Amino acid sequence: MSDSAAACATLNQSVAKLSGVGPAVEKLLAKIGIRQIIDLLFYLPMRYEDRTRITSIGAAQVGQRVVIEGVIELADIVFRGRRALICNISDGTGVMALRFFYFSNAQKNNLRRGSRIRCFGEVRFGARHKEMIHPEYRVLKDNDSQVLEKALTPIYPVTEGLHQARLRQFIGRALALMRTTQLPDWVPAEVLTELGFPDIDQAVLMVHAPPAEISIDQLNGGTHPCQRRLAFDELLAHHLSLRLLRERLQNDPGPVLRGTGQLIERFYRHLPFELTTAQQRVVGEILHDMDSCRPMLRLLQGDVGSGKTVVAAVAALRAIECEAQVAVMAPTELLADQHLRSFEDWLTPLGITVAGLTSKMPAKIQREALQSIKAGVADVVIGTHALFQERVEFANLALAVVDEQHRFGVHQRLLLKAKGPAGLFPHQLVMTATPIPRTLAMSAYADLDCSVIDELPPGRKPVQTVVMSEQKREAVVARIAAACAKEQQAYWVCPLVGESEVLDCEAAEVTAANLQSELGRLSVGLIHGQMKPAQKERAMADFVAGKIDLLVATTVIEVGVDVPNASLMVIENAERMGLAQLHQLRGRIGRGERSSTCVLLYKPPIQGNARKRLEVIRGTTDGFVIAEEDLRLRGPGEVLGTRQTGRLQMRIAEVVRDSDLLPVVQRAAERIMRRHPSNIRPLIDRWIDAQGQYGGV
Ligand code: ADP
Ligand code: MG
């Protein structure tokens, strides 16, 4: 057995082999994903505390967690709002107030004037002095030999019944075992040397037991070279896992679609506009992929209104030209209907059959649609999730277009495989309206190639955005009246406020009724998620036809809706909405010749992130800038949406903070795949547990 194999054997043993780990503890550890001894080594602290030194009260800064020591000057029960025990202590450099809301008599009696006390806690602002609320403390005896910690204290995420001290003890035992053996390093030595990273065992040891002289700020900031090394490994493991997924997806051949281009030419001749340079470039990338026997896996990014639909239509034409079928999947009925209309307008004149399929369609129509899909009569099928159902059989599906992909998961994409003709995997074009910050695209979407439409169609006027208190509502209503008098159309967006969609829709109904009575002569329409598909379709059709002046809507219109004549949008309670959502909503206007205005109404007072969000939206219409801000304000898990968070739940790496590592990770991954393929699996297993691995790869 080689050294590293021997080490593996020891460290790969069950945690039950460690002293102190009985069946009950074993269960608790399993709950936090620790089964083998080695798992303890890779169970990483979330932050650190410094209990190695005493900070003088004068130097202790608000927000820091520190040890202080001083003499009790006063201990008293006060009733200011709430009964509390206050204990002022001084060390000659300043006074710190300790505040206890829960305390026993014995505790109070123990805090006697003149006693020396040592405390650990977070420093806060207080009325007169700095404060600590419920600090840990110890009243010192005359010859107290209470010593300070030698190393900085790691704080781990724990689970009920398993305390920090206990967990720390087990990790300590695992570290001792690691010292006697050797932890295998799956990152090749040449990569480590090139990047100047420490060895794996050195890094693991440091993060669990950092020496006192290391800066706690650096550790809590996650920038120590040993932390960076581990973050690198983790990002690398995630990246490799996505690459494996991609390889698996591309294992089966895709249909080679090499058309004559005549159909696309005819389409271009009928189209009332010319593609922008960016659209043309992206079309080129897509057609190139479809011309290959490797199934396309491409993410099409473009800001709202950049014209992704027409690009998808061109891709569809290439498949149809080769006598194959296309499926277009939208996240909502509303959007599916709209795509259906666009595709019908564009493609029916060319003799192409377009069919719709949603779960809310009447059964009879559904059956007919299913038949025409199976028989190959329908060239393009447009629908919602219903397209994934088992009973949907295609005659010859060669291309799947998935719109607004953040609502579709990896697993649904895998389902597509079953829909293709025997042995062939349909090409996939995934479109997203919310631009994905580069950092996220590089980490969470390593399994997709990426095309970006970075140019808006000509003649678009940027939307002007104003932020107003809802107290100015009357003036806003007057503005709508004035705009609609000039043949313009407007949206009034009601937020989702309640616990239930039903209540939200009722609220929208009330708003619509009120606005109708305020606006008298104008025609006010309503659309919300609780309406029947036919009602929704009717409302949208009336709005498109100009029969409705003002459309009151819940956020159902967030994604995709395209009515170029609408040039004014009012968003109520905008302070409650996220950046991506606001950007999406606003993207519904500014699509026509006129200059457009978006009014964000808020309920005062607003502060903090809510205020920042409105400022960001007012300040820019650039979706990529907004996406970066969103990422900063909310973090990657939120930005990607719940379905994707699994991809970014990391132990030590943080995509935003560690974004500079991403290109390095990419290069290292290439090298490992080429030269050390056998290291890939153990590296992935070390960092990602079985459920977290993408698509079960
Ligand atoms: P999104 O990228 O948000 O899905 P759409 O595909 O809905 O955007 O396109 C927005 C609008 O712009 C549509 O009305 C579409 O017909 C129009 N459009 C798309 N490309 C162009 C272009 N090159 N020139 C002019 N208008 C275009
Ligand atoms: Mg769209």
Side-chain angles (χ1 to χ4, degrees), residues 184-482:
D185 200 332
W186 303 115
V187 179
E190 77 258 23
V191 174
L192 294 180
T193 316
E194 191 186 310
L195 298 173
F197 277 142
D199 291 338
I200 190 74
D201 41 4
Q202 191 191 335
V204 166
L205 188 62
M206 199 297 297
V207 296
H208 289 294
E213 59 276 10
I214 292 183
S215 142
I216 186 123
D217 290 337
Q218 183 182 28
L219 281 180
N220 282 333
T223 57
H224 188 279
C226 288
Q227 291 171 304
R228 302 254 304 160
R229 159 73 215 262
L230 295 177
F232 169 82
D233 282 30
E234 187 171 32
L235 289 168
L236 184 60
H238 281 254
H239 185 86
L240 286 168
S241 174
L242 283 168
R243 297 283 289 253
L244 288 194
L245 169 65
R246 184 196 170 107
E247 268 181 13
R248 204 182 87 178
L249 288 170
Q250 292 190 321
N251 242 345
D252 296 304
V256 179
L257 302 173
R258 187 169 304 159
T260 57
Q262 282 176 5
L263 195 54
I264 295 177
E265 274 313 311
R266 272 174 60 208
F267 172 68
Y268 284 154
R269 279 203 299 276
H270 281 90
L271 202 63
F273 51 78
E274 246 177 69
L275 295 195
T276 60
T277 315
Q279 283 170 320
Q280 289 174 22
R281 185 190 64 237
V282 165
V283 162
E285 289 163 358
I286 292 167
L287 296 187
H288 181 262
D289 281 2
M290 291 169 66
D291 184 358
S292 140
C293 62
R294 269 166 81 85
M296 167 166 75
L297 288 171
R298 191 167 280 280
L299 179 69
L300 175 56
Q301 287 196 65
D303 211 343
V304 281
S306 60
K308 293 182 288 291
T309 322
V310 70
V311 169
V314 177
L317 286 167
R318 168 52 45 91
I320 296 163
E321 216 168 43
C322 301
E323 265 138 48
Q325 285 174 303
V326 180
V328 180
M329 280 170 273
T332 63
E333 305 255 333
L334 192 64
L335 205 54
D337 284 342
Q338 182 180 285
H339 280 335
L340 188 58
R341 270 199 306 276
S342 307
F343 275 73
E344 276 172 350
D345 286 353
W346 286 333
L347 306 188
T348 320
L350 304 176
I352 291 164
T353 309
V354 183
L357 185 72
T358 66
S359 50
K360 291 193 180 155
M361 272 166 49
K364 181 166 168 283
I365 301 185
Q366 245 183 49
R367 261 197 313 277
E368 283 169 15
L370 287 171
Q371 258 159 23
S372 87
I373 298 167
K374 190 173 175 183
V377 176
D379 299 303
V380 185
V381 191
I382 296 176
T384 52
H385 294 73
L387 284 180
F388 284 118
Q389 284 167 10
E390 235 157 73
R391 61 205 182 99
V392 186
E393 287 175 60
F394 290 84
N396 184 16
L397 179 66
L399 169 68
V401 178
V402 181
D403 197 6
E404 318 301 350
Q405 95 94 205
H406 55 293
R407 308 207 178 172
F408 285 89
V410 172
H411 292 280
Q412 281 159 313
R413 295 221 320 269
L414 283 167
L415 280 179
L416 269 176
K417 194 162 175 172
K419 301 282 177 212
L424 292 181
F425 205 148
H427 295 290
Q428 292 180 50
L429 179 64
V430 173
M431 306 198 285
T432 169
T434 310
I436 300 164
R438 217 179 107 71
T439 43
L440 284 192
M442 280 172 79
S443 46
Y445 292 94
D447 54 334
L448 297 172
D449 293 313
C450 192
S451 291
V452 183
I453 308 181
D454 49 8
E455 178 188 355
L456 292 179
R460 293 276 167 84
K461 305 209 174 68
V463 178
Q464 211 211 337
T465 303
V466 290
V467 178
M468 282 179 163
S469 152
E470 64 173 11
Q471 287 152 356
K472 304 233 176 80
R473 190 175 178 281
E474 251 173 64
V476 174
V477 173
R479 194 158 172 174
I480 293 175

Side-chain angles (χ1 to χ4, degrees), residues 49-57 60 64-70 89 91 96 117-123 132 136 146-149 153:
E49 288 177 351
D50 186 353
R51 295 165 184 248
T52 66
R53 72 197 96 210
I54 293 170
T55 303
S56 66
I57 294 175
Q64 278 182 330
R65 297 171 66 85
V66 293
V67 182
I68 55 165
E69 195 175 303
I89 69 172
D91 67 353
M96 178 80 69
I117 182 174
R118 184 181 289 174
C119 322
F120 178 82
E122 184 182 330
V123 183
M132 282 185 178
E136 294 168 37
Q146 176 73 12
V147 288
L148 289 159
E149 301 274 349
T153 312

